[in-house]
């Protein structure tokens, strides 16, 4: 007769075998000059980043903060993109090079880790293109 401990061990092992490893996600935020978001969106599609959102931004920060961040004018585009952690740095570097974000006044980029999601379906949606689409 199987003991309770053996049953639990077998159940845990089966669950670990069936569930593929989930790669952590990062939310990258680009704040760029008005109109440059189209270029970021094109790069998102080139890198198969399905979930990206473009917003219009208008700054209300005082002059000291704007000068410190090197943003110059206050009308900006804000692009949010969910990217697998392994692809974050190459993607950010390509966007930074394409838009010359290292030069003052062209914009900024930063990332935030997405540490948890409520459901597997949400992760599939945020992760982007599914295996069915890749075939």
């Amino acid at each position: 007769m199987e003991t309770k401990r053996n049953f639990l061990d077998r159940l845990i092992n089966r669950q670990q075998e069936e569930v593929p490893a989930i790669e952590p996600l990062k939310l990258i935020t680009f704040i760029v000059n008005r109109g440059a978001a189209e270029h970021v969106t094109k790069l998102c599609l080139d890198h198969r980043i399905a979930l990206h959102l473009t917003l219009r931004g208008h700054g209300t920060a005082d002059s000291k903060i704007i000068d410190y961040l090197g943003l110059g004018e206050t009308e900006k585009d804000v692009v949010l993109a969910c990217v697998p952690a392994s692809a974050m740095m190459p993607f950010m570097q390509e966007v930074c090079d394409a838009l010359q974000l290292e030069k003052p006044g062209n914009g900024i980029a930063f990332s935030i880790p997405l540490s948890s999601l409520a459901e597997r379906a949400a992760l599939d949606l945020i992760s982007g293109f599914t295996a069915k689409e890749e075939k």
Side-chain angles (χ1 to χ4, degrees), residues 11-24:
L11 184 62
I12 290 170
N13 288 336
R14 186 171 25 158
Q15 287 176 341
Q16 289 174 346
E17 291 171 7
E18 293 173 0
V19 177
I22 298 172
E23 184 173 5

Side-chain angles (χ1 to χ4, degrees), residues 99-121:
L99 299 178
Q100 299 178 346
L101 296 185
E102 70 280 351
K103 292 182 180 178
N106 287 349
I108 59 173
F110 58 91
S111 68
I112 303 168
L114 295 177
S115 59
S116 65
L117 294 168
E119 295 182 12
R120 177 67 188 210

Side-chain angles (χ1 to χ4, degrees), residues 8-9 13-14 16 22 27 32 34 37-38 47-48 62 72 77-78 94 96 99 102 116 122 131:
L8 291 174
D9 286 342
N13 288 336
R14 186 171 25 158
Q16 289 174 346
I22 298 172
L27 177 68
V32 295
R34 186 62 54 94
E38 292 176 20
H47 283 264
R48 298 191 53 80
D62 66 13
D77 286 337
V78 179
E94 185 171 342
C96 289
L99 299 178
E102 70 280 351
S116 65

Side-chain angles (χ1 to χ4, degrees), residues 56-132:
R56 296 259 182 204
H58 183 76
T60 59
D62 66 13
S63 163
K64 290 179 186 177
I65 294 173
I66 290 173
D67 291 342
Y68 179 74
L69 295 175
L71 295 177
E73 67 183 56
T74 58
E75 289 191 354
K76 298 289 179 183
D77 286 337
V78 179
V79 181
L80 306 172
C82 288
V83 180
S86 63
M88 183 198 70
M89 287 308 294
F91 175 67
M92 271 183 94
Q93 189 60 52
E94 185 171 342
V95 173
C96 289
D97 291 345
L99 299 178
Q100 299 178 346
L101 296 185
E102 70 280 351
K103 292 182 180 178
N106 287 349
I108 59 173
F110 58 91
S111 68
I112 303 168
L114 295 177
S115 59
S116 65
L117 294 168
E119 295 182 12
R120 177 67 188 210
L123 176 66
D124 290 341
L125 175 67
I126 290 174
S127 295
F129 298 101
T130 63
K132 293 177 188 174

